[in-house]
Amino acid sequence: QKMQVKKIYFAGVKTNVCVKSTIVDAIKHDYETVLVEDCCAAATQTKHSAAIDEIKGLGGKVINSIDKNLIYL
């Protein structure tokens, strides 16, 4: 936050573990979070989808890598 960062984009392995817990921490510290859904994975599609639903429920935004907003990074 000292660096004026307001928004963080997330991608990674284990959507339901590492990625989700990092997003939860970022939300707790008042960052705007954006998960790039097709740049993440979990052991099963069910776990991946459940994590995405939880992230959305916490106020995290979920986009796809072809989303036009990524052009402006």
Side-chain angles (χ1 to χ4, degrees), residues 11-12 14 16 25 31 49 60 67 70:
K14 292 281 191 173
N16 58 316
D25 286 344
Y31 289 100
S49 296
D67 189 296
L70 284 177

Side-chain angles (χ1 to χ4, degrees), residues 1 4-5 13-16 18 26-28 32 34 37 39 45-47 49 53-54 56 58-60 63-65 73:
Q1 289 174 332
Q4 306 289 323
V5 173
V13 181
K14 292 281 191 173
T15 313
N16 58 316
C18 303
I27 290 170
K28 286 180 183 177
E32 181 181 347
V34 182
E37 179 179 3
C39 293
Q45 184 60 43
T46 302
K47 290 179 180 182
S49 296
D53 290 342
E54 287 182 57
K56 287 179 180 177
L58 293 169
I63 64 170
N64 192 289
S65 64
L73 287 179

